[in-house]
Amino acid sequence: MSAREDEGRRDAGMRVRREVLGDAHVDRSVAGTTDFTAPFQDFITRVAWGDVWTRDGLDRRTRSCITLAVLTALGREGELALHVRAARRNGLTSAEIGEVLLHTAVYAGVPAANAAFQLAQRVLDELEDEA
């Protein structure tokens, strides 16, 4: 890929990343970038956000549902909290987030879903307090 194509992917990725995760989170991530983490930040912006989240095949609500399910299944609670917020930003209701977690319990296990429900409740309460 040319440098120009990479720049386009990076720009598109940063736009979507900000729309989904919010400026405050992205600004903190960018501000915390070091020489060591810069290649990773560039990679996730270009690939995860610029190549995958920008694709036409799924809408953002569906991508959020999948992301919540996978993060729950893998026990990635730090990322899960971030993506509960993102799911709300992408239009999922609290009830729909609960349905995703309940559905995930059947396929990924009750302990994983239990932890996800506790974390999601905490984040949803925070969002309600912020509103």
Side-chain angles (χ1 to χ4, degrees):
M1 247 184 217
S2 72
R4 183 178 209 157
E5 290 171 318
D6 268 351
E7 188 65 28
R9 291 167 58 214
R10 189 175 299 104
D11 290 346
M14 186 58 76
R15 178 182 48 78
V16 173
R17 189 176 177 189
R18 287 184 176 283
E19 290 169 2
V20 172
L21 300 179
D23 288 329
H25 171 79
V26 175
D27 288 345
R28 281 190 307 274
S29 293
V30 170
T33 300
T34 65
D35 289 342
F36 180 70
T37 63
F40 180 68
Q41 286 295 319
D42 180 63
F43 173 78
I44 61 174
T45 300
R46 280 183 301 105
V47 177
W49 298 104
D51 289 344
V52 176
W53 275 82
T54 60
R55 293 178 58 85
D56 292 331
L58 297 171
D59 62 21
R60 288 188 188 170
R61 287 174 48 84
T62 303
R63 289 184 192 283
S64 280
C65 290
I66 293 166
T67 303
L68 292 174
V70 171
L71 292 173
T72 296
L74 295 174
R76 302 300 192 255
E77 293 180 9
E79 288 286 311
L80 180 61
L82 173 67
H83 280 280
V84 168
R85 289 179 175 274
R88 293 287 294 163
R89 192 173 284 111
N90 283 337
L92 273 74
T93 66
S94 297
E96 289 170 324
I97 291 169
E99 286 297 321
V100 169
L101 300 180
L102 184 62
H103 189 82
T104 304
V106 173
Y107 295 96
V110 171
N114 185 43
F117 265 103
Q118 291 174 16
L119 184 141
Q121 184 65 65
R122 213 169 41 245
V123 171
L124 293 170
D125 289 346
E126 290 170 7
L127 287 171
E128 189 173 306
D129 290 344
E130 292 170 9

